[in-house]
């Protein structure tokens, strides 16, 4: 037992040093990408696993149509990134193979299909790895249901919390397992600024800080304290504290939820509650997600690779709406709002007309059939 304690202490010492170094790197602000100054924008396309290739095929055709002139003139390149598959990752025992990461870093933004995360073992989520390697600290997920007065935007810290060291905990077989949760000053300040800047820029007057600071007193307590400190610089915005459990309930409370606007959350809570919010909107297949850093950005569907759907032979019927919403967010991020508006309008028309409806099962249209319908609208 003493030997285990000594090894665990040494392991924790290593992790602590790494995280302090990461905090120091954050203190040296990175230069932000100015998309207006880029002579050629490179958009990386990653198919992913399971239903990923199915829905990404639709998204690629849509982007090719919307960006046709830019591609023809050489101002935009759609570049396929190969190798980020569960088979390749398992074979190399790497969350993101090094050669794949090199290719990814040659792109300015990514549109990524869902990737499968192995259960157990030491290979972490590809998403977690990419968020860390590209420093994509802000996970931004909008949810809109106008007829119910819902217009939410979630700002989830994307590089810390339980996720940053999720594959590097300590285990004493048949005795105990221990994982680590990390909150840094720099990481919290930048996600808080992102949330408050968005609120100010979009005429929102309320930001809800969502934690479990009554229990996680050090990490969530620090997150809450710093978020309030940042919020003081935005006097026109009301700052409110909520615990994650009651906020999950509030999203279902019709007397409260329409008053909520912008949410600021640590990593794990943001992961969970945004799936709930997407389900309220119509399912996880209806919501897109942005992972934004100062230099890179990655846009994706919020759902997983749906291996059971593929096993049932229903992969072709996957709903591509989520990845298309992500494509819309990508277009806005790179300074092409008119093209994003065209896509948004076409998606609304397709849904309202209902001539081609995707149910996710053989009683509805395939993703490819919906894609052709959408291309007609564009």
């Amino acid at each position: 037992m003493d030997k285990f304690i000594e090894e665990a202490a040494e392991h924790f010492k290593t992790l602590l040093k790494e995280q302090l170094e990461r905090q120091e790197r954050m203190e040296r602000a990175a230069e932000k990408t100015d998309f207006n100054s880029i002579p050629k924008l490179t958009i990386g396309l990653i198919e992913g696993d399971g239903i990923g290739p199915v829905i990404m095929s639709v998204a690629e055709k849509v982007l090719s149509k919307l960006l046709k002139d830019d591609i023809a003139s050489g101002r935009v390149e759609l570049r396929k990134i190969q190798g980020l598959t569960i088979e390749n990752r398992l074979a190399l025992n790497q969350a993101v193979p090094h050669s794949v990461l090199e290719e990814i870093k040659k792109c300015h933004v990514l549109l990524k299909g869902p990737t499968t995360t192995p259960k157990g073992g030491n290979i972490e989520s590809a998403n977690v790895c990419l968020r860390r390697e590209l420093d994509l600290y802000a996970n931004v997920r909008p949810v809109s249901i106008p007829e119910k007065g819902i217009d939410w935007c979630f700002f989830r810290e994307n590089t810390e919390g339980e996720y940053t060291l999720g594959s590097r905990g300590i285990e004493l077989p048949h005795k105990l397992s221990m994982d680590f949760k990390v909150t840094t000053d720099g990481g919290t300040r930048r996600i808080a600024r992102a949330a408050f800047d968005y609120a100010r820029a979009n005429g929102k007057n309320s930001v809800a800080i969502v934690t479990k600071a009554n229990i996680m007193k050090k990490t969530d307590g620090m997150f809450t304290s710093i978020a309030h400190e940042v919020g003081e610089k935005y006097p026109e915005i009301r700052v409110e504290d909520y615990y994650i459990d009651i906020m999950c309930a509030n999203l279902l409370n019709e007397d409260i939820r329409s008053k909520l606007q912008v949410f600021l959350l640590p990593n794990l809570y943001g992961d969970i509650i945004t799936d709930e919010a997407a389900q309220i909107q119509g399912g996880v297949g209806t919501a897109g997600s942005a992972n934004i850093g100062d230099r890179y950005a990655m846009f994706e569907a919020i759902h997983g690779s749906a291996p059971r759907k593929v096993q049932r032979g229903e992969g072709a019927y996957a709903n591509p709406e989520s990845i298309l919403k992500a494509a819309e967010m990508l277009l806005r991020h790179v300074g092409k709002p008119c093209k994003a508006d065209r896509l948004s309008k076409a998606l609304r028309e397709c849904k309202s007309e209902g001539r081609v409806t995707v149910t996710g099962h053989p009683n509805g249209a395939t993703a490819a059939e919906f894609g052709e319908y959408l291309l007609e609208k564009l």
Side-chain angles (χ1 to χ4, degrees):
M1 185 66 71
D2 288 343
K3 183 176 183 294
F4 168 76
I5 292 174
E6 290 175 5
E7 291 174 351
E10 193 62 32
H11 178 66
F12 181 71
K13 182 179 178 181
T14 299
L15 298 180
L16 187 60
K17 285 182 176 179
E18 289 178 2
Q19 294 306 305
L20 285 171
E21 290 170 0
R22 189 171 68 88
Q23 160 66 18
E24 290 171 1
R25 287 196 299 271
M26 280 188 282
E27 291 174 355
R28 302 189 291 270
E31 185 177 342
K32 292 191 176 184
T33 298
D34 179 5
F35 290 100
N36 293 321
S37 66
I38 295 174
K40 182 177 183 179
L41 174 69
T42 303
I43 301 174
L45 303 177
I46 300 175
E47 289 188 337
D49 302 310
I51 62 171
V54 174
I55 61 175
M56 278 296 295
S57 175
V58 176
E60 182 182 356
K61 290 176 182 177
V62 167
L63 283 179
S64 295
K65 186 173 185 68
L66 286 168
L67 298 170
K68 180 180 178 181
D69 293 341
D70 291 314
I71 293 171
S73 67
R75 293 192 299 270
V76 171
E77 177 190 358
L78 300 182
R79 181 182 298 178
K80 285 192 175 183
I81 306 295
Q82 306 289 348
L84 195 64
T85 63
I86 185 62
E87 294 82 8
N88 195 33
R89 292 160 57 217
L90 286 173
L92 296 172
N93 196 33
Q94 295 171 1
V96 176
H98 301 317
S99 61
V100 177
L101 184 60
E102 287 180 11
E103 291 304 310
I104 284 172
K105 288 184 174 180
K106 295 175 183 177
C107 302
H108 298 102
V109 294
L110 302 170
L111 184 66
K112 175 185 163 295
T115 46
T116 299
T117 301
K119 294 180 180 178
N122 294 318
I123 299 181
E124 69 177 340
S125 158
N127 275 7
V128 171
C129 180
L130 285 171
R131 289 164 183 165
R132 181 180 64 249
E133 292 292 335
L134 304 180
D135 203 19
L136 307 176
Y137 59 84
N139 184 259
V140 184
R141 296 184 175 181
V143 169
S144 177
I145 315 174
E147 63 272 19
K148 295 184 179 180
I150 291 174
D151 184 17
W152 299 330
C153 195
F154 296 83
F155 282 77
R156 164 194 170 195
E157 201 293 315
N158 217 15
T159 61
E160 300 191 347
E162 295 83 353
Y163 288 56
T164 187
L165 298 174
S167 62
R168 301 178 67 187
I170 294 170
E171 181 178 11
L172 180 58
H174 311 298
K175 294 291 184 181
L176 65 82
S177 296
M178 185 178 295
D179 286 318
F180 301 104
K181 178 171 180 171
V182 180
T183 298
T184 66
D185 185 287
T188 304
R189 287 186 189 280
R190 62 185 185 178
I191 188 64
R193 285 195 295 268
F196 282 101
D197 284 346
Y198 171 88
R200 174 175 282 175
N202 290 273
K204 307 297 183 182
N205 59 20
S206 173
V207 171
I209 303 169
V210 186
T211 67
K212 195 64 176 171
N214 56 332
I215 303 299
M216 309 299 293
K217 296 182 183 294
K218 299 298 183 186
T219 50
D220 286 9
M222 179 179 180
F223 188 96
T224 300
S225 175
I226 292 174
H228 276 280
E229 185 181 331
V230 172
E232 291 174 0
K233 298 179 174 61
Y234 303 77
E236 76 279 17
I237 298 173
R238 183 175 71 256
V239 183
E240 299 178 299
D241 283 311
Y242 290 90
Y243 296 136
I244 182 61
D245 43 0
I246 192 62
M247 181 56 84
C248 286
N250 285 344
L251 295 193
L252 302 176
N253 187 331
E254 295 183 0
D255 295 329
I256 295 175
R257 64 187 186 183
S258 62
K259 300 173 184 176
L260 299 168
Q261 297 177 347
V262 179
F263 304 74
L264 171 59
L265 314 94
N267 206 337
L268 177 61
Y269 312 138
D271 191 4
I272 294 169
I273 203 170
T274 51
D275 278 7
E276 180 194 9
Q279 190 64 33
I280 294 169
Q281 181 177 251
V284 292
T286 68
S289 175
N291 302 273
I292 297 172
D294 291 329
R295 182 175 179 184
Y296 299 101
M298 177 174 73
F299 300 82
E300 59 184 344
I302 74 167
H303 55 71
S305 58
R308 287 190 294 272
K309 179 181 287 293
V310 175
Q311 290 168 6
R312 292 194 303 266
E314 297 182 356
Y317 298 92
N319 189 346
E321 184 176 356
S322 184
I323 199 69
L324 292 169
K325 291 281 186 68
E328 178 193 337
M329 296 174 76
L330 183 155
L331 291 168
R332 294 192 191 284
H333 184 73
V334 299
K336 299 187 181 298
C338 294
K339 297 182 188 301
D341 288 343
R342 282 178 59 193
L343 177 53
S344 178
K345 180 174 181 289
L347 280 170
R348 288 196 305 272
E349 289 177 352
C350 288
K351 291 188 73 172
S352 63
E353 289 178 7
R355 181 162 60 86
V356 178
T357 301
V358 178
T359 66
H361 303 286
N363 63 349
T366 65
E369 289 167 343
F370 180 82
E372 292 303 317
Y373 179 35
L374 179 64
L375 289 170
E376 289 177 18
K377 289 293 178 186
L378 290 172

